[in-house]
Amino acid sequence: METSYKVENQSDHDQVMRLINDRKKPNAILRLLMNAFEGYRQSKKLGWSRPWNKYNLTNFQSFKVYKEKDQDLIAFANRIVKQECSDISIEALEFADYLMNECDSLMAFIFLHDYVEEGQKFEGATLSLGCKNNKRYRDRIDIIVESPVIDGVSQGFERMRVYIDPYTAVRGPMWSGISWPEADQVSSQLFDRLSAISSDWQAKKECQWNHWTSDYIDYFGPRKEFIQNSFFFQGH
């Protein structure tokens, strides 16, 4: 059916979701369906994906973060938003404070990734915090810490990106920022912590996040090349 690979409205969404859940199509068709499905959900903020963790990127590890057990990670996020996002709007700051400290349904994940931006390679980690909004939608904050990869060698933490993105009718985030922090900043400490987690949690099944659907999403998969001096798990 021609509409199988285009999801343009809620009816298409529901139909494709049924096809995906049935898992009766060949893998190649499931992959096409899944990416069309994800594209629609992303545009409506129905799911977890956002443009900055989808394009030119491979997530090679995914972990669950537990609010009570992993309070240090929530504390890192709080400090970074308050101390390192210097030009953040009051509206975005208030939203971030609510999501991180008051939302009863807070969900959190860590995604480890390889990323290419205008020919420049990076390896990095995302601390992603989210909250349900009217059951179907997601509010979200992403803090991304990255190391540039030059001539196959990872250089160490240099760049942070922050996206504060509650569900609204507007497609883009409420606020976003990019910075190159000094070595003594909290963001550098977060990079070191997520680097350690990449190795330490790899063998902990209770910490790993995976879902069969990720097998059919383009931006999930193993690392495509070996990186010297990598700060993250290399897969061996």
Side-chain angles (χ1 to χ4, degrees):
M1 115 186 120
E2 291 184 0
T3 58
S4 294
Y5 316 123
K6 291 183 180 180
V7 180
E8 298 176 338
N9 52 52
Q10 190 62 41
S11 177
D12 291 347
H13 171 277
D14 295 345
Q15 185 178 34
V16 170
M17 183 168 63
R18 286 192 294 271
L19 289 170
I20 291 170
N21 287 335
D22 286 343
R23 299 177 66 180
K24 294 179 180 178
K25 298 288 185 182
N27 286 355
I29 299 299
L30 282 172
R31 181 173 289 276
L32 289 171
L33 290 169
M34 181 60 71
N35 282 286
F37 180 75
E38 277 286 295
Y40 178 81
R41 290 176 66 81
Q42 177 185 295
S43 71
K44 301 295 182 182
K45 299 185 182 178
L46 285 167
W48 204 261
S49 69
R50 294 294 194 270
W52 49 87
N53 80 317
K54 180 174 180 178
Y55 298 111
N56 303 316
L57 176 147
T58 301
N59 288 302
F60 56 86
Q61 281 181 302
S62 304
F63 298 112
K64 293 176 286 189
V65 173
Y66 296 93
K67 184 177 180 180
E68 299 304 323
K69 180 171 69 73
D70 303 311
Q71 269 295 315
D72 64 317
L73 295 172
I74 310 301
F76 275 132
N78 268 290
R79 291 173 65 196
I80 285 170
V81 169
K82 292 174 182 176
Q83 297 176 21
E84 296 190 45
C85 298
S86 57
D87 62 344
I88 191 172
S89 67
I90 294 297
E91 182 183 25
L93 185 61
E94 290 176 346
F95 164 76
D97 185 64
Y98 161 77
L99 188 148
M100 292 187 290
N101 301 303
E102 298 181 35
C103 175
D104 293 332
S105 59
L106 179 70
M107 300 171 288
F109 300 89
I110 295 167
F111 301 104
L112 291 304
H113 65 258
D114 291 317
Y115 177 55
V116 180
E117 181 183 81
E118 298 181 351
Q120 173 62 60
K121 296 180 179 180
F122 294 87
E123 63 167 6
T126 300
L127 176 59
S128 187
L129 309 171
C131 188
K132 291 182 179 179
N133 185 323
N134 294 326
K135 295 184 179 180
R136 300 180 66 221
Y137 303 103
R138 295 292 183 272
D139 296 330
R140 180 164 171 173
I141 297 172
D142 281 346
I143 299 173
I144 303 170
V145 286
E146 293 174 311
S147 166
V149 177
I150 300 174
D151 296 329
V153 181
S154 188
Q155 304 297 302
F157 172 62
E158 287 190 14
R159 185 172 84 160
M160 178 177 71
R161 291 181 285 142
V162 178
Y163 298 88
I164 296 179
D165 192 25
Y167 169 72
T168 65
V170 179
R171 285 198 174 192
M174 174 184 285
W175 182 88
S176 64
I178 184 169
S179 60
W180 291 263
E182 298 295 330
D184 60 349
Q185 294 293 305
V186 180
S187 49
S188 180
Q189 298 172 37
L190 177 63
F191 181 88
D192 291 343
R193 177 74 174 113
L194 297 180
S195 174
I197 284 173
S198 179
S199 296
D200 295 346
W201 290 14
Q202 174 60 26
K204 296 181 179 180
K205 297 295 184 183
E206 70 276 13
C207 296
Q208 295 177 18
W209 179 88
N210 56 61
H211 191 273
W212 69 265
T213 54
S214 63
D215 293 339
Y216 306 103
I217 300 175
D218 287 344
Y219 50 90
F220 282 93
R223 306 193 81 170
K224 294 180 171 62
E225 60 184 88
F226 181 83
I227 295 175
Q228 296 181 58
N229 196 40
S230 176
F231 292 84
F232 304 105
F233 184 73
Q234 289 273 44
H236 59 79

